[in-house]
Amino acid sequence: MDRGGLARALCRVLDISIHGAKLQTYTALRRGSDIWLRLPQVGEVTARVVWATDFAAGCQFQTPLAPEAFEILAPMT
């Protein structure tokens, strides 16, 4: 996806690991799509959607989160 033309969409992180996240979505995501997540206190991370249903999706981070970033985010889920 070209980030210049990419519309923003709200989602909620339901579960997170160093390698990926489970998302609650309000718009449909397609399996195989590349997405960018803006994570609080961590910033933007690139991920690939590995599965998706109507209002949920699982994604794998292109680069695993640093342990410090994961420790910041884990208590939030």
Side-chain angles (χ1 to χ4, degrees), residues 13 16 20 22 30 33 38 43 45 55 59 62 71 73 76:
V13 176
I16 194 162
K22 179 180 179 182
R30 286 191 200 153
S33 299
R38 186 163 300 183
V45 294
F55 298 106
C59 62
Q62 180 178 3
E71 292 206 16
L73 296 168
M76 294 181 182

Side-chain angles (χ1 to χ4, degrees), residues 21-38:
K22 179 180 179 182
L23 309 173
Q24 177 181 7
T25 63
Y26 301 96
T27 57
L29 294 177
R30 286 191 200 153
R31 184 174 170 244
S33 299
D34 290 330
I35 60 172
W36 292 267
L37 297 171
R38 186 163 300 183

Side-chain angles (χ1 to χ4, degrees), residues 13 15-21 39-42 61 64-77:
V13 176
D15 194 16
I16 194 162
S17 74
I18 290 174
H19 299 286
L39 300 173
Q41 301 179 35
V42 172
F61 301 136
L65 293 177
E68 300 82 13
F70 177 71
E71 292 206 16
I72 291 169
L73 296 168
M76 294 181 182
T77 59

